[in-house]
């Protein structure tokens, strides 16, 4: 009987703790402790999801396509808003919406003329860029005293994520509103 062969085990090395490993674990723990969650502050005007800052006369932020659909459905914006909310309304147009209407050219000249109506309040924008959807969302996040009037599904989806902001849209050839409790109690259409 001979001697049994010993097979070497390759790639097995004892794991030795290094000083750098310990320091790296401590650095990872301190990074985890320094992370601060960014939680947006809720407005003091909100009672649960009910916005107490809204009241007549309502300020309605109007989007580009809302003006276009109002023209297609032959609805006067100021009269239609008063019929929907049973209160005085001030339609507001931001600079971004005006720039968007001007970019659309001759096809939307009637909408541009309607937006320049003296009954519409003009709101200046301080940010860079002319994308109206971002402008409206940011303005509504900062000041929850507006109703947003739009027919754009993507913008409506974005605004639904902001608590306490009602949305006005066109349904069945008239204006309708969602997330404004006292409007539907008064007889505004529920769609």
């Amino acid at each position: 009987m001979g001697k049994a062969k010993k097979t070497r085990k390759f790639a097995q090395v004892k794991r030795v703790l290094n000083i750098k490993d310990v320091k790296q674990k401590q650095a990872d723990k301190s990074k985890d402790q320094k992370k601060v969650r960014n939680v947006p502050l809720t407005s003091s005007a909100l009672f649960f999801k009910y916005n107490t800052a809204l009241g007549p006369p309502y300020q309605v932020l109007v989007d580009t396509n809302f003006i276009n659909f109002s023209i297609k459905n032959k609805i006067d914006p100021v009269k239609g808003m008063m019929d929907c909310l049973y209160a005085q309304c001030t339609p507001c147009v931001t600079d971004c919406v005006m720039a968007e209407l001007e970019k659309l050219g001759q096809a939307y000249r009637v909408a541009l003329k309607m937006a320049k109506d003296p009954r519409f309040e003009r709101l200046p924008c301080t940010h860079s860029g002319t994308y109206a959807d971002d402008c409206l969302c940011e303005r509504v996040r900062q000041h929850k005293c507006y109703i947003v009037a739009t027919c754009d599904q993507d913008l409506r989806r974005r605004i639904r994520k902001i608590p306490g902001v009602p949305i006005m849209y066109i349904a069945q050839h008239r204006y309708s509103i969602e997330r404004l409790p006292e409007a539907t109690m008064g007889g505004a259409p529920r769609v």
Side-chain angles (χ1 to χ4, degrees), residues 116-168:
K116 288 183 178 177
D117 190 342
R119 297 178 296 176
F120 280 65
E121 187 180 325
R122 185 83 180 262
L123 299 174
C125 294
T126 56
H127 59 85
S128 62
T130 58
Y131 188 57
D133 291 359
D134 289 342
C135 175
L136 294 176
C137 284
E138 281 304 311
R139 190 173 288 270
V140 165
R141 271 194 195 97
Q142 291 170 359
H143 314 288
K144 293 195 186 316
C145 60
Y146 295 110
I147 297 172
V148 179
T150 185
C151 294
D152 185 11
Q153 289 293 331
D154 294 332
L155 181 59
R156 282 169 62 180
R157 206 171 290 124
R158 284 174 66 181
I159 291 182
R160 280 188 193 115
K161 293 177 184 174
I162 305 169
V165 180
I167 303 168
M168 185 179 284

Side-chain angles (χ1 to χ4, degrees), residues 42-52 163-164:
T42 56
S43 175
S44 61
L46 291 178
F47 179 73
F48 295 108
K49 285 190 174 180
Y50 177 73
N51 192 352
T52 57

